[in-house]
Amino acid sequence: MAKRDFITGEELDRGELDSLLARAAELKAGRREREGAGALAGRSVALVFERPSTRTRVSFEVGVAELGATPLILRGDELQLSRGESVGDTGRVLSRYLHAIAVRSGSHEAVVELAAGAEVPVINALTPLHHPCQALADLLTLREHFGTLEGLRVVYVGDGNNVARSLAILGRTAGVEVVVASPEGYSLEPGLAELSEDPRAAAEGADALYTDVWVSMGDEDAAERRRADLAPFQLNEELLALASERAIALHCLPAHPGEEITEGVLYGERSAVWDQAENRLHAQKALLELLVA
Ligand code: CP
Ligand code: NVA
């Protein structure tokens, strides 16, 4: 059987995504009873990180271990990659030892190249273009909060970045209405979601308001300009008041309270951000079961 990668999130169809989210909910509910323990017994999964990470790294490491497999954390600068060994060769060789590779890289093309060389599933643990594992947790959080994804309107405000793109792609597969409101020059490319340049109009009737940092990894050189341009797109109390009465606030974290989100919203009673962070674990365990078990 051909190996399956998870790089943009488009690899999953609606039925597979629905089943994955249902399984993630089951793994979450059964965690105390060690649901899923042994699903990946005897396997090894590499977690390659070329960039910093708190949630992705820890949730993958714990998730792999809970499924009975051995996680190997590999930093880019420890591998021969850092001395010029090609990404393709790295994938070829790692495939001879391992059963899957999750990778966070500053180059989306490098992850595609790694997957082309690898004979085992490659999972994108964030590139500047996509963050599909985050979107799985986002959908799981919406599903558990509202009981269904059917008919939900999710409005992302801010930079049309990796997190916004993956939310749009996987949201579309799941049948969620995703709106991405960004200032001129920061929009997502057309065709993935409804686009807007007016955060207030977009927020009306939203079931969730979502934002992410204004300065992503790799964007540091333009930090000052980005903060100025994105300031009108802050997720604050005023914006939340325009959304549906039942609306929740989402953020992939790490957050910069006072920049893209106010402290009041981040720590307020409508924030689902901490569940969202936890759900990385459960969603990725379900993904590993699907791709590796
Ligand atoms: N949301 C997210 O991917 O967080 P980390 O960068 O800490 O992994
Ligand atoms: N957009 C952010 C997400 C971090 C989890 C970044 O790429 O830095």
Side-chain angles (χ1 to χ4, degrees):
M1 207 175 73
K3 63 129 176 176
R4 296 195 65 186
D5 299 316
F6 186 66
I7 293 178
T8 65
E10 287 159 310
E11 299 87 355
L12 297 184
D13 64 25
R14 171 82 179 258
E16 288 169 327
L17 181 55
D18 285 348
S19 310
L20 185 153
L21 296 173
R23 178 61 182 151
E26 219 171 79
L27 285 162
K28 181 171 187 172
R31 190 171 178 216
R32 215 182 265 273
E33 292 74 43
R34 307 188 61 222
E35 175 68 31
L40 266 63
R43 318 280 171 94
S44 301
V45 177
L47 310 170
V48 181
F49 281 86
E50 292 187 328
R51 291 196 158 178
S53 169
T54 297
R55 282 143 288 271
T56 309
R57 198 209 118 147
V58 175
S59 58
F60 261 116
E61 186 168 0
V62 170
V64 167
E66 288 185 359
L67 295 172
T70 302
L72 282 91
I73 307 287
L74 304 173
R75 283 171 37 155
D77 61 4
E78 297 168 341
L79 298 173
Q80 292 285 12
L81 261 181
S82 63
R83 294 183 56 253
E85 183 167 19
S86 78
V87 178
D89 285 358
T90 304
R92 274 177 205 98
V93 171
L94 291 180
S95 300
R96 299 294 176 103
Y97 310 127
L98 298 157
H99 300 90
I101 304 167
V103 54
R104 170 169 292 194
S105 173
S107 160
H108 186 75
E109 295 68 33
V111 173
V112 172
E113 216 179 302
L114 183 86
E119 290 160 26
V120 297
V122 170
I123 296 171
N124 179 355
L126 183 148
T127 67
L129 289 184
H130 296 273
H131 196 5
C133 292
Q134 179 65 52
L136 293 179
D138 303 341
L139 293 173
L140 180 59
T141 308
L142 290 163
R143 186 185 182 276
E144 82 185 354
H145 189 87
F146 294 106
T148 175
L149 293 175
E150 206 63 49
L152 294 183
R153 174 179 167 89
V154 178
V155 178
Y156 175 101
V157 289
D159 187 17
N161 62 14
N162 45 5
V163 167
R165 183 171 295 103
S166 290
L167 177 73
I169 289 173
L170 282 132
R172 180 179 59 180
T173 304
V176 172
E177 180 189 355
V178 178
V179 182
V180 178
S182 317
E184 204 189 327
Y186 295 83
S187 297
L188 212 57
E189 62 275 21
L192 296 178
E194 184 187 326
L195 303 182
S196 165
E197 287 186 8
D198 182 347
R200 297 173 61 87
E204 271 184 42
D207 297 301
L209 291 183
Y210 192 150
T211 196
D212 181 19
V213 293
W214 290 340
V215 183
S216 282
M217 292 180 272
D219 291 336
E220 291 80 3
D221 287 351
E224 212 170 312
R225 177 171 53 79
R226 291 181 145 267
R227 286 193 188 101
D229 291 346
L230 286 152
F233 289 72
Q234 185 188 57
L235 175 41
N236 53 31
E237 287 77 353
E238 194 199 331
L239 201 67
L240 198 51
L242 298 171
S244 149
E245 272 176 23
R246 63 174 193 165
I248 56 170
L250 297 173
H251 190 308
C252 61
L253 303 174
H256 299 77
E259 286 191 21
E260 77 278 358
I261 190 165
T262 57
E263 227 173 272
V265 172
L266 179 63
Y267 301 108
E269 56 185 20
R270 295 167 82 180
S271 169
V273 165
W274 316 105
D275 292 332
Q276 188 185 359
E278 177 188 333
N279 284 338
R280 296 293 305 276
L281 171 67
H282 313 299
Q284 287 158 197
K285 283 169 75 176
L287 178 68
L288 286 163
E289 279 192 350
L290 176 71
L291 301 184
V292 188

